Amino acid sequence: LGAGKTTMSCHLQKWTQCVKYLERTDSAGLNLLYAQGGKQIFGFPFQFDVGKDRENILRAAEGVPKSAILDRTWQEDLLFAENFRDIGALTERQFDYVHRFVMEGVTRNKSLDIIISLEASDSTLKERVDERNRAIEKGRIKKLSEDERKEMVLKRDEMLNYVRMHAAGEFDSYRARQSGFEIP
């Protein structure tokens, strides 16, 4: 967060006339993930959720005659999964399911021609995130409207289906963990 992915992609788009595909910075999936205890409950299916979004973006980008700029990659998805495993939000077995899912997505899609990796100091990242003042990046969920709450319920159910489709061996135990989660 705050490394400059969106800023860099906007500059590249101006200079090159590429088509730009950015991910949503506020979504029902992210709201679930950042809710109290959400990483422990939704960290696993969230990996499938972003993977599906990534695949849709890559498919759309392949259909464009110009070059395309994406602000995230499959490689970053694996870094997030590793982080979730390291903080205990994914078991080793769940990480293996996610790793296999990501690698299947990589092989189904055209490889990227160039990957630009951005780095910034912790203090710079904190400063940029503080400037943006996005509640979700600070671990807060804004007061949700009834429509947003309904969207979160639908996303929760969709995420459960991702586990059923991509990690059937985890389905029963995951469903039991998820069942006690209250939509904020």
Side-chain angles (χ1 to χ4, degrees), residues 96-107:
D96 290 343
Y97 278 114
V98 170
H99 187 268
R100 190 172 346 160
F101 171 77
V102 168
M103 296 315 295
E104 288 170 2
V106 168
T107 59

Side-chain angles (χ1 to χ4, degrees), residues 20-58:
K20 179 176 61 173
Y21 295 91
L22 300 178
E23 294 184 358
R24 289 179 57 192
T25 57
D26 189 16
S27 68
L30 284 171
N31 283 335
L32 287 169
L33 188 68
Y34 285 107
Q36 183 69 33
K39 285 183 184 174
Q40 300 300 322
I41 303 288
F42 296 101
F44 179 45
F46 185 74
Q47 303 302 308
F48 301 119
D49 190 45
V50 296
K52 291 290 186 189
D53 286 347
R54 178 108 36 256
E55 192 157 16
N56 291 337
I57 288 170
L58 286 168

Side-chain angles (χ1 to χ4, degrees), residues 26-161:
D26 189 16
S27 68
L30 284 171
N31 283 335
L32 287 169
L33 188 68
Y34 285 107
Q36 183 69 33
K39 285 183 184 174
Q40 300 300 322
I41 303 288
F42 296 101
F44 179 45
F46 185 74
Q47 303 302 308
F48 301 119
D49 190 45
V50 296
K52 291 290 186 189
D53 286 347
R54 178 108 36 256
E55 192 157 16
N56 291 337
I57 288 170
L58 286 168
R59 259 195 232 113
E62 286 179 358
V64 173
K66 296 181 180 184
S67 292
I69 298 171
L70 293 79
D71 67 346
R72 294 194 184 267
T73 66
W74 291 103
Q75 292 83 347
E76 191 174 4
D77 294 340
L78 284 178
L79 288 174
F80 271 96
E82 287 173 7
N83 180 34
F84 281 12
R85 179 193 59 200
D86 293 347
I87 66 170
L90 267 73
T91 65
E92 194 64 41
R93 182 175 169 186
Q94 289 171 335
F95 176 79
D96 290 343
Y97 278 114
V98 170
H99 187 268
R100 190 172 346 160
F101 171 77
V102 168
M103 296 315 295
E104 288 170 2
V106 168
T107 59
R108 275 193 309 271
N109 292 281
K110 179 184 177 216
S111 64
L112 305 173
D113 297 320
I114 298 172
I115 297 176
I116 299 171
S117 177
L118 304 176
E119 294 182 18
S121 69
D122 290 346
S123 60
T124 299
L125 296 174
K126 182 180 179 337
E127 184 180 302
R128 289 176 181 169
V129 169
D130 286 346
E131 277 178 27
R132 292 196 299 218
N133 201 27
R134 292 180 186 156
I136 200 159
E137 291 177 346
K138 294 183 174 210
R140 299 186 317 258
I141 294 183
K142 64 181 180 180
K143 184 159 176 56
L144 301 173
S145 69
E146 192 55 36
D147 286 344
E148 288 169 317
R149 288 175 55 80
K150 288 177 185 174
E151 186 181 1
M152 283 178 74
V153 169
L154 292 173
K155 180 56 77 174
R156 181 195 62 199
D157 295 344
E158 184 179 333
M159 285 183 168
L160 185 60
N161 284 328

